[in-house]
Each structure stands twice: as structure tokens, then as C-alpha cells.
């Protein structure tokens, strides 16, 4: 299930966020769902062996226009972002919580809830073109001289597709509590170095990629990936995509 949430600035002023705002949006989401679900997702999540998955993903923040001001980003007076999850209760409670308040303080902005729109389920084929709404990140943790190092893969490395598939299998089995095997392939379409994005999340540097891609898998798996996100760190604002029509 996916929704689009639109806010407007109370005094019709431009809206200013820090450039690296992923944690800001994530915290806003947690604060506006019931404590029971918030605690479950934040502290426990859905378990796959030693891994925990939150099972939600959100997009970047969008606006008709924006400009970069040193360490901040200035949008116009209206912004929106998407939130998605296979856990419908989570999305419903978040939407209901927002509708009860209507006015919000995010960063230094006084915002009014303008709209919550439930996105229609897109048509999905076995071979589907997608566009990333937040960067997809894939990485391995390596150890050299007893030091931990994180290596982020690009869409042009074979490990990129393989690790996306492994990650998606883990999330599916954690959510549905059953084993599954499926084929999953992804290839970049007109993606170049300019699509690589570096984001700082709570002091940690994370590398991800925007752009358009073609994915090939079962329709059910692509729909699950649409709801939960692809790659790692979905609940930190990575790996959301839309279906290209």
C-alpha cells in the first residue's frame, strides 16, 4: 500500500530542510503512528535469522522547485513525499494520525496537511521499467587489517543485481514467514555517474543510485518490492521506486 502526503507552509513561505533530511522524515513517520506499532517496527521488526526489517520505505521530498543553500535545501511553499509498506495497518494508522492533527512542526517549518492520496496499484508485468524515487543502495561489509569497511556497489557491477535479489528474498520470507525462490534481475537504463547520490544519515555516509531501471521477476515479487523497497536501508529512505507507464 502506498500513499502520497502533501504539506503546505502555514504562512505560504518557502519550506527549508537540511540537505541530508532522511532522518528528519523517518522520525516524523515514527512520531505519527501508534506507539505499539512504532515500538515494534523500531525495536523488533520482522526477523530473518539475525536480520531485522522494518518493512516500510519512503521517497525523497519533492516540490515544484527547490534550490540548495549551503547545508540546506529550500523548497517552495508545498512539499510531498511517498510512504509505502506491505503492512497496510501501518500505512492506515499513519494516515489516520495525520488527519487528526492537520498542523505540524517539521524542522523550523509550520506545515498544514494538504492531502493524503492513496496511490492506485500500478500495472505490473514480468519485465517492468521503474524509476527510483529514493536512491537504491547495495553494500557489503569487508574487513581489512581488522578494520571494518563498507563497500557500496554500483548498478554496473554484477553483485548489484545478485545482492538485490538476496535482500528481497530475506524480506519476503521475514514478512510472509515462508520459504521462496524466484528469479530477479535488474539493469540500468541511461544511468551514469551523475545518478550516484551521497547521503549522510545520523553521521554515516551512505551511497545510493537514482535513475531508471528495468527489472525482471514474477509480478507478485515486483509488487512486494514496490511496497517494501529494494536494496538496503529502506526505512531510512532508500530504495523506493515507481512503475513507469
Amino acid at each position: 500500500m502506498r500513499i502520497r502526503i502533501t504539506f503546505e507552509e502555514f504562512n505560504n513561505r518557502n519550506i527549508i530542510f537540511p540537505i541530508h533530511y532522511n532522518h528528519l522524515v523517518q522520525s516524523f513517520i515514527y512520531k505519527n503512528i501508534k506507539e505499539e506499532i512504532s515500538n515494534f517496527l523500531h525495536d523488533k521488526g520482522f526477523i530473518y535469522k539475525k536480520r531485522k526489517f522494518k518493512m516500510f520505505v519512503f521517497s525523497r521530498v519533492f516540490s515544484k522547485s527547490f534550490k540548495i543553500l549551503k547545508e540546506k535545501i529550500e523548497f517552495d511553499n508545498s512539499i510531498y513525499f511517498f510512504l509505502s509498506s506491505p503492512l497496510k495497518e501501518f500505512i492506515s494508522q499513519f494516515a489516520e494520525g495525520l488527519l487528526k492533527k492537520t498542523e505540524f512542526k517539521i524542522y523550523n517549518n509550520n506545515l498544514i496537511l494538504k492531502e493524503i492520496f492513496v496511490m492506485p496499484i500500478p500495472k505490473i508485468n514480468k519485465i517492468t521499467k521503474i524509476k527510483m524515487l529514493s536512491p537504491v543502495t547495495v553494500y557489503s561489509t569487508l574487513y581489512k587489517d581488522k578494520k571494518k569497511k563498507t563497500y557500496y556497489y554500483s548498478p554496473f557491477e554484477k553483485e548489484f543485481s545478485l545482492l538485490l535479489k538476496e535482500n528481497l528474498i530475506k524480506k519476503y520470507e521475514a514478512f510472509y514467514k515462508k520459504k521462496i525462490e524466484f528469479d530477479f534481475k535488474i539493469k540500468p537504463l541511461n544511468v551514469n555517474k551523475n545518478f550516484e547520490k551521497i547521503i549522510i544519515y545520523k553521521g554515516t555516509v551512505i551511497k545510493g543510485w537514482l535513475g531508471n531501471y528495468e527489472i525482471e521477476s514474477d509480478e507478485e515479487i515486483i509488487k512486494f518490492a514496490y511496497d517494501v523497497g529494494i536494496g538496503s536501508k529502506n526505512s531510512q529512505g532508500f530504495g523506493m521506486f515507481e512503475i513507469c507507464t
Side-chain angles (χ1 to χ4, degrees):
M1 185 177 183
R2 178 172 295 187
I3 56 176
R4 182 184 67 214
I5 308 102
T6 303
F7 295 100
E8 290 185 350
E9 210 281 330
F10 183 80
N11 295 306
N12 207 34
R13 297 172 180 166
N14 287 351
I15 297 168
I16 297 176
F17 276 12
I19 289 180
H20 303 288
Y21 55 75
N22 286 46
H23 184 248
L24 186 73
V25 177
Q26 185 193 49
S27 297
F28 176 79
I29 292 168
Y30 277 124
K31 288 176 182 178
N32 286 282
I33 55 177
K34 288 184 178 179
E35 186 176 359
E36 181 180 355
I37 290 184
S38 176
N39 290 341
F40 169 75
L41 292 176
H42 188 270
D43 300 331
K44 297 180 180 179
F46 293 83
I47 307 297
Y48 177 90
K49 296 181 180 179
K50 294 182 179 181
R51 294 287 306 278
K52 296 191 296 184
F53 297 101
K54 314 299 185 185
M55 298 298 176
F56 72 88
V57 62
F58 59 91
S59 72
R60 294 183 299 157
V61 173
F62 298 99
S63 182
K64 289 182 179 179
S65 64
F66 70 91
K67 57 183 176 181
I68 306 299
L69 304 172
K70 293 186 178 180
E71 293 301 314
K72 293 182 171 57
I73 180 169
E74 182 177 339
F75 301 100
D76 62 28
N77 68 328
S78 179
I79 60 172
Y80 65 94
F81 70 93
F82 298 93
L83 176 65
S84 184
S85 175
L87 190 63
K88 292 183 179 180
E89 183 183 2
F90 163 72
I91 298 292
S92 297
Q93 284 200 7
F94 177 74
E96 290 172 5
L98 294 188
L99 290 170
K100 291 177 181 177
K101 298 180 182 179
T102 69
E103 296 183 16
F104 304 88
K105 183 84 170 183
I106 304 178
Y107 198 51
N108 295 318
N109 307 284
N110 297 307
L111 304 180
I112 298 174
L113 179 65
K114 180 67 176 179
E115 179 187 54
I116 298 177
F117 180 73
V118 179
M119 303 297 293
I121 298 174
K123 178 175 174 54
I124 295 173
N125 300 311
K126 287 189 175 182
I127 299 178
T128 299
K129 290 181 173 60
I130 67 170
K131 178 181 180 181
M132 300 309 304
L133 296 178
S134 56
V136 52
T137 183
V138 184
Y139 66 93
S140 291
T141 302
L142 310 173
Y143 291 88
K144 185 177 181 179
D145 298 328
K146 296 183 180 181
K147 294 182 179 180
K148 186 169 70 172
K149 182 179 180 180
T150 302
Y151 179 83
Y152 290 93
Y153 294 95
S154 82
F156 313 106
E157 297 175 279
K158 64 180 182 179
E159 292 88 352
F160 188 83
S161 185
L162 293 173
L163 290 174
L164 284 183
K165 175 184 174 179
E166 290 177 6
N167 175 271
L168 196 54
I169 288 175
K170 292 173 184 177
K171 285 186 285 200
Y172 188 99
E173 293 185 359
F175 187 76
Y176 289 106
K177 307 300 181 185
K178 63 179 182 180
K179 294 286 185 180
I180 192 171
E181 275 294 334
F182 53 79
D183 291 326
F184 181 90
K185 297 177 182 177
I186 183 169
K187 65 178 182 179
L189 303 175
N190 302 317
V191 175
N192 57 51
K193 186 66 176 177
N194 294 328
F195 289 91
E196 183 181 25
K197 301 300 174 183
I198 297 176
I199 294 165
I200 300 175
Y201 174 85
K202 296 174 69 173
T204 300
V205 174
I206 301 172
K207 298 179 181 179
W209 290 78
L210 294 173
N212 290 60
Y213 301 80
E214 182 180 272
I215 55 177
E216 181 177 354
S217 190
D218 297 334
E219 290 94 334
E220 176 193 359
I221 300 304
I222 297 175
K223 175 59 169 62
F224 179 71
Y226 173 85
D227 284 336
V228 78
I230 56 174
S232 302
K233 304 184 183 296
N234 303 132
S235 65
Q236 296 173 18
F238 293 87
M240 175 178 271
F241 64 84
E242 65 179 356
I243 305 295
C244 298
T245 55

